[in-house]
Amino acid sequence: MEGPVIRFEGVVKSFGAQRVLDGLDFQVERGQCLAIMGPSGSGKSVILRHAVGLMKPDAGRVLVEGREVSALRHKELSELRRGIGFLFQEGALINWLSVRDNVALPLRENTGLSEREIAERVEAKLDLVKIARHSFDKMPSQISGGMKKRVGLARALVVEPRIILYDEPNAGLDPEISASINQTIREIQERLGTTSIVVEHRVACIKTVADSVLFLEKGRAHLQLPPAEFFASSDPRLRQFLGADPD
Ligand SMILES: Nc1ncnc2c1ncn2[C@@H]1O[C@H](COP(=O)(O)OP(=O)(O)O)[C@@H](O)[C@H]1O
Ligand SMILES: [Mg+2]
């Protein structure tokens, strides 16, 4: 397919009187990783929800792999979603399912794979995110926060998505675990050639994983630059935002 994998064109989205996205334009090319930074409540998670058709724009268009997401019918939308891995901000694992069964879930819901094929895929993805084999049958309550995030990542990857959306993959993690998550995200991109968007505020993460960084402000892409130029930018609004950030 030609053209960008993800493209937002003049996207407008309001909730009641609050206009969250106000003519947002950006695109992500195949195999690239775009990081999105912006203040809390600026609409970063709302952007990701539009990309998977969980929200529809009031105006403008969201195109994924050349197709307008809000115009897709139910069946086409499920097909599209099957190609997209989504690591939710909450990272929510299902408490009554083991690590292994949490990761297997999207395969059991969406595919005609045999249990044996499912087991192989699940183990390969848990290996990729560096979960030790003796933890595969543990319950979420028995593993650390960092491990939960990595299991969530394995679950997002298990369908072998062409696109992965990460919503604050480092939130609530200590720096050491963060570094290993970021390394894992980078490796996945290199090994699987996925196109991705990472919503993140940690500079270290963005420098590790992103090819370009978008600064979301007042519902628009205020800046979009490669990480080195982005963090060196003297743009006053960006400097103020970065200065206010504890990381
Ligand atoms: N489903 C919704 N209904 C009403 N308001 C929403 C909804 N989703 C998000 N919002 C509002 O949109 C704004 C942006 O939210 P969000 O994208 O979650 O911010 P963030 O940049 O922190 O991820 C917030 O003010 C939030 O309250
Ligand atoms: Mg958010």
Side-chain angles (χ1 to χ4, degrees), residues 24-227:
L24 177 66
D25 292 304
F26 72 85
Q27 60 187 49
V28 192
E29 304 293 336
R30 183 163 303 282
Q32 297 285 296
C33 175
L34 172 73
I36 298 178
M37 284 190 113
S40 178
S42 59
K44 304 180 297 296
S45 297
V46 165
I47 292 174
L48 299 185
R49 292 196 148 75
H50 278 82
V52 288
L54 291 169
M55 285 181 177
K56 286 187 180 188
D58 302 332
R61 301 200 302 166
V62 176
L63 301 159
V64 175
E65 296 179 324
R67 288 176 295 177
E68 187 174 355
V69 178
S70 62
L72 296 178
R73 282 185 307 226
H74 187 77
K75 186 160 166 276
E76 301 164 314
L77 188 60
S78 335
E79 266 166 32
L80 176 79
R81 282 187 189 153
R82 232 171 283 156
I84 304 181
F86 198 149
L87 185 64
F88 286 93
Q89 188 164 5
E90 311 76 35
L93 298 181
I94 295 173
N95 284 327
W96 61 87
L97 294 180
S98 68
V99 162
R100 193 191 283 279
D101 287 336
N102 262 285
V103 178
L105 204 58
L107 295 178
R108 295 203 168 114
E109 283 174 344
N110 277 323
T111 58
L113 295 176
S114 71
E115 275 304 309
R116 187 173 160 181
E117 288 167 314
I118 290 177
E120 281 171 11
R121 285 224 208 165
V122 165
E123 287 172 11
K125 291 302 177 280
L126 284 167
D127 287 341
L128 185 66
V129 300
K130 301 186 179 70
I131 297 291
R133 295 227 157 197
H134 67 261
S135 296
F136 288 7
D137 293 305
K138 288 187 177 165
M139 301 306 280
S141 60
Q142 298 173 296
I143 62 175
S144 68
M147 280 174 73
K148 284 184 199 165
K149 279 278 179 178
R150 280 184 283 149
V151 174
L153 190 51
R155 188 176 57 189
L157 289 172
V158 79
V159 293
E160 310 205 322
R162 300 182 296 278
I163 299 170
I164 307 183
L165 308 174
Y166 301 95
D167 201 350
E168 303 200 18
N170 286 296
L173 301 182
D174 69 45
E176 200 178 325
I177 294 164
S178 255
S180 106
I181 296 266
N182 297 334
Q183 212 48 55
T184 308
I185 292 175
R186 182 85 243 174
E187 274 172 39
I188 287 162
Q189 271 158 218
E190 284 165 5
R191 284 171 61 171
L192 306 179
T194 48
T195 306
S196 50
I197 299 180
V198 183
V199 167
E200 189 48 70
H201 66 276
R202 292 197 186 180
V203 176
C205 170
I206 291 175
K207 285 183 173 164
T208 307
V209 305
D211 300 293
S212 72
V213 196
L214 183 158
F215 179 44
L216 180 69
E217 211 216 27
K218 298 195 167 77
R220 293 179 185 220
H222 179 65
L223 278 179
Q224 189 181 337
L225 292 167

